[in-house]
Coordinates of all heavy atoms in Angstrom, one line a residue:
M134 N 0.8 -1.2 0.0 CA 0.0 0.0 0.0 C 0.9 1.2 0.0 O 1.8 1.4 0.8 CB -0.9 -0.1 1.2 CG -1.8 1.1 1.5 SD -3.0 1.7 0.3 CE -3.3 0.4 -0.7
N135 N 0.6 2.1 -0.9 CA 1.4 3.3 -1.1 C 0.8 4.4 -0.2 O -0.3 4.9 -0.4 CB 1.4 3.8 -2.5 CG 2.1 5.1 -2.8 OD1 2.7 5.7 -1.9 ND2 2.1 5.5 -4.0
P136 N 1.6 4.9 0.8 CA 1.1 5.9 1.7 C 0.9 7.3 1.0 O 0.2 8.2 1.6 CB 2.1 6.0 2.9 CG 3.3 5.3 2.4 CD 2.9 4.4 1.2
G137 N 1.4 7.4 -0.2 CA 1.3 8.7 -0.9 C 0.1 8.7 -1.8 O 0.0 9.6 -2.7
L138 N -0.8 7.8 -1.6 CA -2.1 7.8 -2.5 C -2.9 9.1 -2.2 O -2.9 9.6 -1.1 CB -3.0 6.6 -2.1 CG -2.5 5.2 -2.5 CD1 -3.5 4.2 -1.9 CD2 -2.5 5.1 -4.0
S139 N -3.6 9.5 -3.3 CA -4.5 10.6 -3.1 C -5.6 10.2 -2.2 O -5.9 9.0 -2.1 CB -5.0 11.1 -4.5 OG -5.9 10.1 -5.0
E140 N -6.4 11.2 -1.7 CA -7.5 10.9 -0.9 C -8.5 10.0 -1.6 O -9.0 9.0 -1.1 CB -8.3 12.1 -0.5 CG -7.6 13.0 0.6 CD -8.4 14.1 1.1 OE1 -9.1 14.8 0.2 OE2 -8.3 14.4 2.3
K141 N -8.8 10.3 -2.9 CA -9.8 9.5 -3.7 C -9.3 8.1 -3.9 O -10.0 7.1 -3.8 CB -10.1 10.2 -5.0 CG -11.1 11.3 -4.8 CD -11.5 11.9 -6.2 CE -12.5 12.9 -6.1 NZ -13.0 13.4 -7.4
D142 N -8.0 8.0 -4.2 CA -7.4 6.6 -4.5 C -7.4 5.8 -3.2 O -7.7 4.6 -3.2 CB -6.0 6.7 -5.0 CG -6.0 7.2 -6.5 OD1 -7.0 7.1 -7.2 OD2 -5.0 7.8 -6.9
L143 N -7.1 6.4 -2.1 CA -7.2 5.7 -0.8 C -8.6 5.2 -0.5 O -8.8 4.1 -0.1 CB -6.7 6.6 0.3 CG -6.7 6.0 1.7 CD1 -5.8 4.8 1.8 CD2 -6.2 7.1 2.7
L144 N -9.6 6.1 -0.8 CA -11.0 5.7 -0.6 C -11.3 4.5 -1.5 O -12.0 3.6 -1.1 CB -11.8 6.9 -1.0 CG -13.2 7.0 -0.4 CD1 -13.2 7.0 1.1 CD2 -13.9 8.2 -1.0
K145 N -10.9 4.6 -2.8 CA -11.2 3.5 -3.7 C -10.6 2.1 -3.2 O -11.3 1.1 -3.3 CB -10.6 3.8 -5.1 CG -11.4 4.8 -5.8 CD -10.8 5.1 -7.2 CE -11.4 6.3 -7.8 NZ -10.8 6.7 -9.1
E146 N -9.4 2.2 -2.7 CA -8.7 1.0 -2.2 C -9.5 0.5 -0.9 O -9.6 -0.8 -0.7 CB -7.3 1.2 -1.8 CG -6.4 1.5 -3.1 CD -6.4 0.3 -4.1 OE1 -6.3 -0.8 -3.6 OE2 -6.6 0.6 -5.3
C147 N -10.0 1.4 -0.1 CA -10.7 0.9 1.1 C -12.0 0.2 0.7 O -12.4 -0.8 1.2 CB -11.1 2.1 2.0 SG -9.7 2.9 2.9
I148 N -12.7 0.8 -0.3 CA -13.9 0.2 -0.8 C -13.7 -1.2 -1.4 O -14.6 -2.1 -1.3 CB -14.6 1.2 -1.8 CG1 -15.1 2.4 -1.1 CG2 -15.8 0.5 -2.5 CD1 -15.6 3.5 -1.9
K149 N -12.5 -1.4 -2.0 CA -12.2 -2.7 -2.5 C -11.9 -3.7 -1.4 O -11.8 -4.9 -1.7 CB -10.9 -2.6 -3.4 CG -11.1 -1.9 -4.7 CD -9.8 -1.9 -5.5 CE -9.9 -1.1 -6.7 NZ -8.5 -1.0 -7.4
G150 N -11.8 -3.2 -0.2 CA -11.6 -4.1 0.9 C -10.1 -4.3 1.3 O -9.8 -5.2 2.1
D151 N -9.3 -3.4 0.8 CA -7.8 -3.5 1.1 C -7.6 -3.1 2.6 O -7.8 -2.0 3.0 CB -7.1 -2.6 0.2 CG -5.6 -2.7 0.4 OD1 -5.1 -2.8 1.5 OD2 -4.9 -2.7 -0.6
K152 N -7.2 -4.1 3.4 CA -7.0 -3.9 4.9 C -6.0 -2.8 5.1 O -6.1 -2.0 6.0 CB -6.6 -5.2 5.5 CG -6.1 -5.1 6.9 CD -7.2 -5.4 7.9 CE -6.7 -5.5 9.3 NZ -6.4 -4.3 10.0
K153 N -4.9 -2.8 4.4 CA -3.8 -1.8 4.6 C -4.3 -0.4 4.3 O -4.0 0.5 5.0 CB -2.6 -2.2 3.8 CG -1.8 -3.4 4.3 CD -0.6 -3.6 3.5 CE 0.1 -4.9 4.0 NZ 1.3 -5.2 3.2
A154 N -5.1 -0.3 3.3 CA -5.7 1.0 2.9 C -6.6 1.5 4.0 O -6.6 2.6 4.4 CB -6.4 0.9 1.6
W155 N -7.4 0.6 4.5 CA -8.3 0.9 5.6 C -7.5 1.4 6.9 O -7.9 2.4 7.5 CB -9.3 -0.2 6.0 CG -10.1 0.1 7.2 CD1 -10.1 -0.4 8.4 CD2 -11.2 1.1 7.2 NE1 -11.0 0.2 9.2 CE2 -11.7 1.2 8.5 CE3 -11.7 2.0 6.2 CZ2 -12.7 2.0 8.8 CZ3 -12.7 2.9 6.6 CH2 -13.2 2.9 7.9
D156 N -6.5 0.7 7.2 CA -5.6 1.1 8.3 C -5.0 2.4 8.1 O -5.0 3.3 9.0 CB -4.5 0.0 8.6 CG -5.0 -1.3 9.1 OD1 -6.2 -1.4 9.6 OD2 -4.3 -2.3 9.0
L157 N -4.6 2.7 6.9 CA -4.0 4.0 6.6 C -5.1 5.1 6.6 O -4.8 6.2 7.1 CB -3.4 3.9 5.2 CG -2.6 5.2 4.7 CD1 -1.5 5.5 5.6 CD2 -2.1 4.9 3.3
F158 N -6.3 4.8 6.1 CA -7.4 5.7 6.2 C -7.7 6.1 7.6 O -7.9 7.3 7.9 CB -8.6 5.0 5.5 CG -9.8 5.9 5.4 CD1 -10.0 6.8 4.3 CD2 -10.8 5.9 6.4 CE1 -11.1 7.6 4.2 CE2 -11.9 6.7 6.3 CZ -12.1 7.6 5.2
V159 N -7.8 5.1 8.5 CA -8.1 5.4 9.9 C -7.0 6.2 10.5 O -7.3 7.2 11.2 CB -8.4 4.0 10.7 CG1 -8.5 4.3 12.2 CG2 -9.6 3.3 10.2
E160 N -5.8 5.8 10.3 CA -4.7 6.6 10.8 C -4.7 8.0 10.3 O -4.4 9.0 11.1 CB -3.4 5.9 10.4 CG -2.1 6.6 10.9 CD -0.9 5.9 10.4 OE1 -0.8 4.6 10.3 OE2 0.1 6.6 10.2
K161 N -5.0 8.2 9.0 CA -5.0 9.5 8.4 C -6.1 10.4 9.0 O -5.8 11.6 9.2 CB -5.1 9.4 6.9 CG -5.1 10.7 6.2 CD -5.0 10.5 4.7 CE -4.9 11.9 4.0 NZ -4.6 11.7 2.6
Y162 N -7.2 9.9 9.3 CA -8.4 10.7 9.6 C -8.8 10.6 11.1 O -9.7 11.3 11.5 CB -9.6 10.4 8.8 CG -9.3 10.7 7.3 CD1 -9.1 9.7 6.4 CD2 -9.3 12.0 6.9 CE1 -8.8 10.0 5.1 CE2 -9.0 12.4 5.6 CZ -8.8 11.3 4.7 OH -8.5 11.7 3.4
T163 N -8.1 9.8 11.9 CA -8.4 9.7 13.3 C -8.3 11.1 14.1 O -9.3 11.4 14.8 CB -7.5 8.7 14.0 OG1 -7.9 7.4 13.6 CG2 -7.5 8.8 15.5
K164 N -7.3 11.8 13.9 CA -7.1 13.1 14.6 C -8.2 14.0 14.2 O -8.8 14.7 15.0 CB -5.8 13.7 14.3 CG -5.4 14.9 15.1 CD -4.0 15.4 14.9 CE -3.8 16.6 15.8 NZ -2.4 17.0 15.7
L165 N -8.6 14.1 12.9 CA -9.6 14.9 12.4 C -11.0 14.6 13.0 O -11.7 15.4 13.5 CB -9.7 14.8 10.9 CG -10.9 15.6 10.2 CD1 -10.7 17.1 10.4 CD2 -11.0 15.2 8.7
V166 N -11.2 13.3 13.1 CA -12.5 12.8 13.7 C -12.6 13.2 15.2 O -13.6 13.7 15.7 CB -12.7 11.3 13.5 CG1 -13.9 10.8 14.3 CG2 -12.9 11.0 12.0
Y167 N -11.5 12.9 15.9 CA -11.5 13.3 17.3 C -11.7 14.8 17.5 O -12.5 15.2 18.4 CB -10.1 12.9 18.0 CG -10.1 11.5 18.5 CD1 -9.2 10.6 18.1 CD2 -11.0 11.1 19.5 CE1 -9.1 9.3 18.6 CE2 -10.9 9.8 20.0 CZ -10.0 8.9 19.6 OH -10.0 7.7 20.1
N168 N -10.9 15.6 16.8 CA -11.1 17.0 16.9 C -12.5 17.5 16.6 O -13.0 18.4 17.3 CB -10.0 17.8 16.1 CG -8.6 17.6 16.7 OD1 -8.5 17.4 17.8 ND2 -7.6 17.7 15.8
T169 N -13.1 17.0 15.6 CA -14.4 17.4 15.2 C -15.4 17.0 16.3 O -16.3 17.7 16.6 CB -14.8 16.7 13.8 OG1 -13.8 17.1 12.9 CG2 -16.2 17.2 13.4
I170 N -15.3 15.8 16.8 CA -16.2 15.3 17.9 C -16.0 16.3 19.1 O -17.0 16.7 19.6 CB -15.9 13.9 18.3 CG1 -16.2 12.9 17.2 CG2 -16.6 13.5 19.6 CD1 -15.6 11.5 17.4
L171 N -14.8 16.5 19.4 CA -14.5 17.4 20.6 C -15.1 18.8 20.4 O -15.8 19.3 21.3 CB -13.0 17.5 20.8 CG -12.6 18.1 22.1 CD1 -13.1 17.4 23.3 CD2 -11.0 18.0 22.2
K172 N -14.9 19.4 19.2 CA -15.5 20.7 19.0 C -17.0 20.7 19.0 O -17.6 21.7 19.5 CB -15.0 21.2 17.6 CG -13.6 21.7 17.5 CD -13.4 22.2 16.1 CE -12.0 22.8 16.0 NZ -11.7 23.3 14.6
T173 N -17.6 19.7 18.4 CA -19.0 19.6 18.4 C -19.6 19.5 19.8 O -20.5 20.2 20.2 CB -19.5 18.4 17.6 OG1 -18.9 18.6 16.2 CG2 -21.0 18.4 17.5
L174 N -19.0 18.6 20.6 CA -19.5 18.5 22.0 C -19.3 19.7 22.8 O -20.1 20.1 23.6 CB -18.7 17.3 22.7 CG -19.1 15.9 22.2 CD1 -18.2 14.9 22.8 CD2 -20.6 15.6 22.5
Q175 N -18.2 20.4 22.6 CA -17.9 21.7 23.3 C -18.8 22.8 22.9 O -19.3 23.6 23.7 CB -16.4 22.1 23.2 CG -15.5 21.2 23.9 CD -14.0 21.5 23.6 OE1 -13.7 22.1 22.5 NE2 -13.1 21.1 24.5
M176 N -19.1 22.8 21.6 CA -20.0 23.8 21.1 C -21.4 23.7 21.7 O -22.0 24.8 22.0 CB -20.2 23.6 19.5 CG -21.0 24.7 18.9 SD -21.0 24.6 17.1 CE -21.5 23.0 16.7
Y177 N -21.8 22.5 22.0 CA -23.1 22.3 22.7 C -23.0 22.2 24.2 O -24.0 21.8 24.8 CB -23.8 21.1 22.1 CG -24.3 21.4 20.6 CD1 -23.5 20.9 19.6 CD2 -25.4 22.2 20.4 CE1 -23.9 21.1 18.3 CE2 -25.7 22.4 19.1 CZ -25.0 21.9 18.0 OH -25.4 22.2 16.7
H178 N -21.9 22.6 24.7 CA -21.6 22.5 26.2 C -22.0 21.2 26.8 O -22.6 21.2 27.9 CB -22.3 23.7 26.9 CG -22.1 25.0 26.3 ND1 -20.8 25.6 26.4 CD2 -22.8 25.8 25.5 CE1 -20.9 26.8 25.7 NE2 -22.0 26.9 25.2
S179 N -21.7 20.1 26.1 CA -22.0 18.8 26.6 C -20.9 18.3 27.5 O -19.8 18.5 27.3 CB -22.1 17.8 25.4 OG -23.1 18.2 24.5
D180 N -21.4 17.7 28.6 CA -20.5 17.0 29.5 C -20.1 15.6 28.9 O -21.0 14.9 28.4 CB -21.1 16.8 30.9 CG -21.3 18.1 31.6 OD1 -20.5 19.0 31.4 OD2 -22.2 18.1 32.4
F181 N -18.9 15.2 28.9 CA -18.5 14.0 28.3 C -17.3 13.4 28.9 O -16.5 14.2 29.6 CB -18.3 14.1 26.8 CG -17.3 15.1 26.4 CD1 -15.9 14.8 26.3 CD2 -17.6 16.4 26.2 CE1 -15.0 15.7 25.9 CE2 -16.7 17.4 25.8 CZ -15.3 17.0 25.7
L182 N -17.1 12.2 28.8 CA -15.9 11.5 29.3 C -15.0 11.1 28.1 O -15.5 11.0 27.0 CB -16.3 10.2 30.1 CG -17.3 10.4 31.3 CD1 -17.7 9.1 31.8 CD2 -16.6 11.2 32.4
Y183 N -13.8 10.8 28.4 CA -12.9 10.3 27.4 C -13.5 9.1 26.7 O -13.4 9.0 25.5 CB -11.5 10.0 27.9 CG -10.5 9.5 26.9 CD1 -10.0 10.4 26.0 CD2 -10.2 8.1 26.8 CE1 -9.1 9.9 25.0 CE2 -9.4 7.7 25.8 CZ -8.8 8.5 24.9 OH -8.0 8.1 23.9
Q184 N -14.1 8.2 27.5 CA -14.7 7.0 26.9 C -15.8 7.4 25.9 O -15.9 6.7 24.9 CB -15.2 6.1 28.0 CG -15.7 4.8 27.5 CD -14.7 4.0 26.8 OE1 -13.6 3.8 27.3 NE2 -15.0 3.4 25.6
D185 N -16.5 8.4 26.1 CA -17.5 8.9 25.2 C -16.9 9.2 23.8 O -17.4 8.9 22.8 CB -18.3 10.1 25.7 CG -19.1 9.8 27.0 OD1 -19.5 8.7 27.1 OD2 -19.2 10.8 27.8
L186 N -15.7 10.0 23.9 CA -15.0 10.3 22.7 C -14.6 9.0 21.9 O -14.7 9.0 20.7 CB -13.8 11.1 23.0 CG -14.0 12.6 23.5 CD1 -12.7 13.2 23.9 CD2 -14.7 13.4 22.4
E187 N -14.1 8.1 22.6 CA -13.6 6.8 22.1 C -14.8 6.1 21.4 O -14.7 5.6 20.2 CB -13.0 5.9 23.1 CG -11.7 6.2 23.5 CD -10.6 5.8 22.5 OE1 -10.7 4.7 21.9 OE2 -9.8 6.7 22.2
D188 N -15.9 6.0 22.1 CA -17.1 5.4 21.5 C -17.6 6.0 20.3 O -17.9 5.4 19.3 CB -18.2 5.3 22.6 CG -17.9 4.4 23.7 OD1 -17.0 3.5 23.6 OD2 -18.6 4.5 24.7
I189 N -17.7 7.3 20.3 CA -18.2 8.1 19.1 C -17.2 7.9 18.0 O -17.6 7.7 16.8 CB -18.4 9.6 19.5 CG1 -19.5 9.7 20.5 CG2 -18.7 10.4 18.2 CD1 -19.6 11.1 21.1
H190 N -15.9 8.0 18.3 CA -14.9 7.9 17.2 C -15.0 6.5 16.6 O -15.1 6.4 15.3 CB -13.5 8.0 17.9 CG -12.4 7.6 17.0 ND1 -11.9 6.3 17.0 CD2 -11.6 8.3 16.2 CE1 -10.9 6.2 16.1 NE2 -10.7 7.4 15.6
N191 N -15.1 5.5 17.3 CA -15.2 4.1 16.8 C -16.5 3.9 16.0 O -16.5 3.3 14.9 CB -15.1 3.1 17.9 CG -13.8 3.0 18.5 OD1 -12.8 3.5 17.9 ND2 -13.7 2.5 19.7
N192 N -17.6 4.5 16.5 CA -18.9 4.4 15.8 C -18.8 5.1 14.4 O -19.4 4.7 13.5 CB -20.0 4.9 16.6 CG -20.4 4.0 17.7 OD1 -20.2 2.8 17.6 ND2 -20.9 4.5 18.8
I193 N -18.1 6.2 14.4 CA -18.0 7.0 13.1 C -17.3 6.1 12.1 O -17.8 5.9 10.9 CB -17.2 8.3 13.3 CG1 -17.9 9.3 14.2 CG2 -16.8 8.9 11.9 CD1 -19.2 9.8 13.6
F194 N -16.2 5.5 12.4 CA -15.5 4.6 11.5 C -16.2 3.4 11.1 O -16.2 2.9 10.0 CB -14.0 4.3 12.0 CG -13.1 5.5 11.8 CD1 -12.7 6.3 12.8 CD2 -12.6 5.8 10.5 CE1 -11.9 7.4 12.6 CE2 -11.7 6.8 10.3 CZ -11.4 7.6 11.4
L195 N -16.9 2.8 12.1 CA -17.8 1.6 11.8 C -18.9 2.0 10.8 O -19.2 1.2 10.0 CB -18.3 1.0 13.1 CG -17.4 0.2 14.0 CD1 -18.1 -0.1 15.3 CD2 -16.9 -1.0 13.3
S196 N -19.5 3.2 11.0 CA -20.6 3.6 10.1 C -20.1 3.7 8.7 O -20.9 3.5 7.8 CB -21.2 4.9 10.6 OG -20.4 6.0 10.4
L197 N -18.8 4.0 8.5 CA -18.3 4.2 7.1 C -18.2 2.9 6.4 O -18.3 2.8 5.2 CB -16.9 4.8 7.2 CG -16.9 6.3 7.6 CD1 -15.5 6.8 7.8 CD2 -17.6 7.2 6.7
I198 N -18.0 1.8 7.1 CA -17.8 0.5 6.5 C -19.0 -0.4 6.5 O -19.1 -1.5 5.9 CB -16.6 -0.3 7.0 CG1 -16.8 -0.6 8.5 CG2 -15.3 0.5 6.8 CD1 -15.7 -1.5 9.0
E199 N -20.1 0.0 7.3 CA -21.3 -0.9 7.4 C -21.9 -1.0 6.0 O -21.8 -0.1 5.1 CB -22.3 -0.2 8.3 CG -22.0 -0.3 9.7 CD -23.0 0.4 10.6 OE1 -23.6 1.3 10.2 OE2 -23.1 0.0 11.8
D200 N -22.6 -2.1 5.8 CA -23.4 -2.3 4.6 C -22.5 -2.2 3.3 O -22.8 -1.5 2.4 CB -24.6 -1.4 4.4 CG -25.6 -1.6 5.5 OD1 -25.8 -2.7 6.0 OD2 -26.2 -0.5 6.0
D201 N -21.3 -2.9 3.4 CA -20.4 -3.0 2.3 C -19.9 -1.6 1.9 O -19.9 -1.2 0.7 CB -21.1 -3.7 1.1 CG -20.0 -4.1 0.0 OD1 -18.9 -4.3 0.3 OD2 -20.4 -4.1 -1.2
Y202 N -19.5 -0.8 2.9 CA -18.9 0.5 2.7 C -19.8 1.5 2.1 O -19.4 2.4 1.3 CB -17.6 0.4 1.8 CG -16.5 -0.5 2.4 CD1 -16.5 -1.9 2.0 CD2 -15.6 0.0 3.2 CE1 -15.5 -2.7 2.6 CE2 -14.6 -0.8 3.8 CZ -14.6 -2.2 3.4 OH -13.6 -3.0 3.9
K203 N -21.1 1.4 2.4 CA -22.1 2.2 1.9 C -21.8 3.7 2.0 O -21.9 4.4 1.0 CB -23.5 1.9 2.5 CG -24.6 2.7 2.0 CD -25.9 2.4 2.6 CE -27.1 3.2 2.1 NZ -28.3 2.9 2.8
K204 N -21.4 4.2 3.2 CA -21.1 5.6 3.3 C -19.9 6.0 2.5 O -19.9 7.1 2.0 CB -21.0 6.0 4.8 CG -22.3 6.3 5.5 CD -22.1 7.0 6.8 CE -23.4 7.2 7.4 NZ -23.4 7.3 8.8
L205 N -18.9 5.2 2.5 CA -17.7 5.5 1.8 C -18.0 5.6 0.3 O -17.5 6.5 -0.4 CB -16.6 4.5 2.0 CG -15.8 4.5 3.2 CD1 -14.7 3.5 3.2 CD2 -15.2 5.9 3.5
R206 N -18.9 4.8 -0.2 CA -19.3 4.8 -1.6 C -20.1 6.1 -1.9 O -20.2 6.5 -3.1 CB -20.1 3.6 -2.0 CG -19.4 2.3 -1.9 CD -20.3 1.1 -2.2 NE -19.7 -0.1 -1.9 CZ -18.9 -0.8 -2.7 NH1 -18.6 -0.3 -3.9 NH2 -18.3 -1.9 -2.3
Q207 N -20.7 6.7 -0.9 CA -21.5 7.9 -1.2 C -20.7 9.2 -1.5 O -21.2 10.1 -2.0 CB -22.4 8.2 0.0 CG -23.5 7.2 0.2 CD -24.3 7.3 1.4 OE1 -23.9 8.1 2.4 NE2 -25.4 6.7 1.5
Y208 N -19.4 9.1 -1.1 CA -18.5 10.3 -1.4 C -18.4 10.5 -2.9 O -18.0 9.6 -3.6 CB -17.2 10.1 -0.7 CG -16.2 11.2 -1.1 CD1 -16.3 12.5 -0.6 CD2 -15.2 11.0 -2.1 CE1 -15.5 13.5 -0.9 CE2 -14.4 12.0 -2.4 CZ -14.5 13.3 -1.9 OH -13.7 14.3 -2.3
K209 N -18.6 11.7 -3.3 CA -18.5 12.0 -4.8 C -17.5 13.1 -5.1 O -17.0 13.2 -6.2 CB -19.9 12.5 -5.3 CG -21.0 11.5 -5.2 CD -20.8 10.2 -5.9 CE -21.9 9.2 -5.8 NZ -21.5 7.9 -5.8
G210 N -17.1 13.9 -4.1 CA -16.1 14.9 -4.3 C -16.5 16.0 -5.2 O -15.7 16.6 -5.9
I211 N -17.8 16.3 -5.2 CA -18.3 17.4 -6.1 C -18.1 18.7 -5.5 O -18.0 18.8 -4.3 CB -19.8 17.2 -6.4 CG1 -20.4 15.9 -6.0 CG2 -20.2 17.4 -7.8 CD1 -21.9 15.7 -6.3
N212 N -18.0 19.7 -6.3 CA -17.9 21.1 -5.9 C -16.6 21.3 -5.0 O -16.7 22.1 -4.0 CB -19.1 21.6 -5.2 CG -20.3 21.6 -6.1 OD1 -20.2 21.8 -7.3 ND2 -21.5 21.3 -5.5
G213 N -15.6 20.6 -5.2 CA -14.4 20.8 -4.5 C -14.4 20.2 -3.1 O -13.5 20.4 -2.3
C214 N -15.4 19.4 -2.8 CA -15.4 18.7 -1.4 C -14.4 17.7 -1.3 O -14.3 16.7 -2.1 CB -16.8 18.1 -1.3 SG -17.0 17.2 0.3
T215 N -13.5 17.8 -0.4 CA -12.4 16.9 -0.1 C -12.9 15.8 0.8 O -14.0 15.9 1.4 CB -11.2 17.5 0.5 OG1 -11.6 18.0 1.8 CG2 -10.6 18.7 -0.3
V216 N -12.2 14.7 0.8 CA -12.6 13.6 1.7 C -12.5 14.1 3.1 O -13.4 13.8 3.9 CB -11.6 12.3 1.5 CG1 -11.9 11.3 2.6 CG2 -11.8 11.8 0.1
S217 N -11.5 14.9 3.5 CA -11.4 15.5 4.8 C -12.7 16.3 5.2 O -13.2 16.1 6.3 CB -10.2 16.4 4.9 OG -9.0 15.6 4.7
S218 N -13.1 17.2 4.3 CA -14.3 18.0 4.7 C -15.5 17.1 4.8 O -16.4 17.3 5.6 CB -14.5 19.1 3.7 OG -14.7 18.6 2.4
W219 N -15.6 16.1 3.9 CA -16.7 15.2 4.0 C -16.8 14.4 5.3 O -17.8 14.2 5.9 CB -16.6 14.2 2.8 CG -17.7 13.2 2.6 CD1 -19.0 13.4 2.3 CD2 -17.6 11.8 2.8 NE1 -19.7 12.2 2.2 CE2 -18.9 11.2 2.6 CE3 -16.5 11.0 3.2 CZ2 -19.1 9.9 2.7 CZ3 -16.8 9.6 3.3 CH2 -18.0 9.1 3.0
I220 N -15.6 13.9 5.7 CA -15.5 13.2 7.0 C -15.9 14.1 8.2 O -16.6 13.7 9.1 CB -14.0 12.7 7.2 CG1 -13.6 11.7 6.2 CG2 -13.8 12.2 8.7 CD1 -14.3 10.3 6.4
M221 N -15.6 15.4 8.1 CA -16.0 16.3 9.1 C -17.5 16.5 9.2 O -18.1 16.5 10.3 CB -15.3 17.7 8.9 CG -13.9 17.8 9.2 SD -13.1 19.4 8.8 CE -14.0 20.4 9.9
V222 N -18.1 16.5 8.0 CA -19.6 16.6 8.0 C -20.2 15.4 8.6 O -21.1 15.5 9.4 CB -20.1 16.9 6.5 CG1 -21.6 16.7 6.4 CG2 -19.6 18.2 6.0
I223 N -19.7 14.2 8.2 CA -20.3 13.0 8.7 C -20.1 12.9 10.2 O -21.0 12.5 11.0 CB -19.6 11.8 8.0 CG1 -20.1 11.6 6.6 CG2 -19.8 10.5 8.8 CD1 -19.4 10.6 5.8
T224 N -18.9 13.3 10.7 CA -18.6 13.3 12.1 C -19.5 14.2 12.9 O -20.0 13.8 14.0 CB -17.1 13.6 12.4 OG1 -16.3 12.7 11.7 CG2 -16.8 13.6 13.8
T225 N -19.7 15.4 12.4 CA -20.6 16.4 13.0 C -22.0 15.9 13.1 O -22.7 15.9 14.1 CB -20.6 17.7 12.3 OG1 -19.2 18.2 12.3 CG2 -21.4 18.7 13.0

């Protein structure tokens, strides 16, 4: 697996079921997902525990691969939408 893949190519490899691509995808977007969760919870003045962050984080990534990568397949990249910005929307 080439770590220098574009976002779209990485997504395609994940959808094909490439385990290394998925691991790279999770590694690449984990910090973004955590930060987005944290900002969202803080914006709504929600009380939360670290375990809550972990659970939400894991659920976000699980939701991307459920039903044969249904959510990952929904990404189209139209109007300049990057995978990163799309992940932020899904996380929020």
Side-chain angles (χ1 to χ4, degrees):
M134 173 60 20
N135 178 0
L138 287 175
S139 72
E140 287 186 322
K141 282 188 174 184
D142 289 337
L143 180 58
L144 201 63
K145 286 177 188 175
E146 292 301 312
C147 288
I148 291 169
K149 288 181 186 176
D151 186 317
K152 169 98 171 80
K153 288 181 182 179
W155 177 250
D156 290 344
L157 185 59
F158 183 88
V159 171
E160 181 182 324
K161 181 173 184 169
Y162 296 107
T163 284
K164 188 174 180 178
L165 174 67
V166 170
Y167 271 121
N168 288 336
T169 305
I170 294 166
L171 191 57
K172 281 182 179 179
T173 304
L174 290 173
Q175 289 172 339
M176 183 171 55
Y177 291 102
H178 307 289
S179 297
D180 291 331
F181 57 89
L182 303 172
Y183 178 76
Q184 185 59 46
D185 297 329
L186 290 174
E187 281 287 315
D188 291 345
I189 295 168
H190 169 272
N191 292 339
N192 286 334
I193 295 294
F194 282 103
L195 284 174
S196 75
L197 293 172
I198 63 172
E199 285 177 335
D200 299 325
D201 194 30
Y202 301 91
K203 183 179 178 180
K204 275 195 181 152
L205 283 184
R206 293 175 192 278
Q207 291 174 345
Y208 172 76
K209 301 296 180 214
I211 347 181
N212 299 325
C214 177
T215 64
V216 174
S217 297
S218 60
W219 181 73
I220 294 287
M221 286 176 62
V222 170
I223 288 175
T224 301
T225 302

